[in-house]
Amino acid sequence: AQTVTQSQPEMSVQEAETVTLSCTYDTSENNYYLFWYKQPPSRQMILVIRQEAYKQQNATENRFSVNFQKAAKSFSLKISDSQLGDTAMYFCAFMNLLIQGAQKLVFGQGTRLTINP
Amino acid sequence: GAGVSQTPSNKVTEKGKYVELRCDPISGHTALYWYRQSLGQGPEFLIYFQGTGAADDSGLPNDRFFAVRPEGSVSTLKIQRTERGDSAVYLCASSLIALGSGANVLTFGAGSRLTVL
């Protein structure tokens, strides 16, 4: 079974700083996707960024980028020029690509990120 | 609809009571997922529907939990004889899905917070 570990329960940085959230995972599969989701107090999970395991190039979405190290099974999220609206819980998630099966997400425990003014 | 809608937003019930939680997915999304998020944890998979059928219910914790999607759109999660340990946020998500096409992005609702007294 796959597991996802986020070792930082909480993080806090000043506005405009850069912050990196850590995530490691365990799987014996070779084809999979990794995701970062943001969950503000409204509870709705919002997709931040995703990475296909077969792609070596790290995914980037505006201020958000990842450092994907497949051999180390590491998938960290970097937020540049952090903004007050980035304050939220952040979850790392793994999805195994099963051709005939459900595309289930396995989530980590989350990191509570606070951006201070 | 424009997004995934879940009702009720909050539900307080007494131990032993029966509860129904409703999910209205994005129009046209054939896949529907239920997740449970306990306090301070990441979401955990419960069940997945492809159309009207439950393609994978391996995450349902016991036989008190049941879900239906009779017309392939709206889904209802049903919990019998509720226990205090059932208290959690129940998240629903939907996606377009085409088997073999890679990961499909899940769109989440805001969840239903269930409190069992």
Side-chain angles (χ1 to χ4, degrees):
Chain A
Q2 290 83 16
T3 59
V4 177
T5 302
Q6 294 179 247
S7 59
Q8 305 153 310
E10 296 188 21
M11 294 193 72
S12 178
V13 298
Q14 296 299 119
E15 191 175 9
E17 289 184 345
T18 294
V19 60
T20 299
L21 308 183
S22 301
C23 173
T24 58
Y25 58 95
D26 188 22
T27 183
S28 59
E29 300 294 331
N30 194 47
N31 294 321
Y32 51 87
Y33 279 70
L34 295 162
F35 303 82
W36 278 97
Y37 277 88
K38 168 185 178 180
Q39 188 179 40
S42 65
R43 297 198 307 242
Q44 187 164 12
M45 301 286 282
I46 301 166
L47 178 66
V48 174
I49 197 166
R50 72 173 183 173
Q51 173 80 42
E52 296 92 330
Y54 63 86
K55 289 188 176 179
Q56 293 186 341
Q57 186 174 6
N58 289 322
T60 299
E61 288 287 341
N62 300 313
R63 298 183 295 108
F64 300 88
S65 61
V66 299
N67 183 4
F68 174 48
Q69 301 290 328
K70 191 173 183 179
K73 296 179 182 176
S74 171
F75 183 61
S76 61
L77 174 69
K78 185 172 82 170
I79 305 174
S80 303
D81 185 26
S82 57
Q83 300 175 0
L84 296 179
D86 295 334
T87 294
M89 285 290 292
Y90 285 81
F91 291 95
C92 179
F94 172 101
M95 178 185 283
N96 193 1
L97 288 182
L98 302 173
I99 303 300
Q100 296 298 327
Q103 298 192 332
K104 296 186 288 191
L105 287 167
V106 177
F107 287 88
Q109 307 93 313
T111 296
R112 183 178 302 281
L113 175 65
T114 302
I115 309 299
N116 299 307
Chain B
V4 178
S5 176
Q6 292 189 246
T7 55
S9 178
N10 290 283
K11 174 71 176 179
V12 180
T13 191
E14 293 178 344
K15 180 175 178 292
K17 298 291 188 182
Y18 170 80
V19 167
E20 288 190 351
L21 307 176
R22 175 189 168 106
C23 173
D24 199 342
I26 292 174
S27 179
H29 278 193
T30 55
L32 185 146
Y33 304 79
W34 283 99
Y35 285 79
R36 179 169 71 173
Q37 185 176 19
S38 300
L39 188 63
Q41 302 294 319
E44 294 177 310
F45 171 81
L46 294 177
I47 186 170
Y48 153 70
F49 288 89
Q50 171 64 327
T52 60
D56 186 338
D57 64 358
S58 61
L60 294 177
N62 51 60
D63 61 5
R64 295 186 298 105
F65 288 75
F66 190 70
V68 296
R69 195 186 185 197
E71 298 179 357
S73 178
V74 171
S75 175
T76 305
L77 179 65
K78 307 180 181 191
I79 310 174
Q80 298 177 322
R81 304 182 304 280
T82 52
E83 300 177 356
R84 292 192 180 88
D86 298 336
S87 296
V89 173
Y90 290 82
L91 295 168
C92 178
S94 69
S95 74
L96 291 169
I97 190 165
L99 294 176
S101 67
N104 298 283
V105 174
L106 274 63
T107 301
F108 283 84
S112 293
R113 181 183 299 279
L114 174 65
T115 303
V116 182
L117 301 177

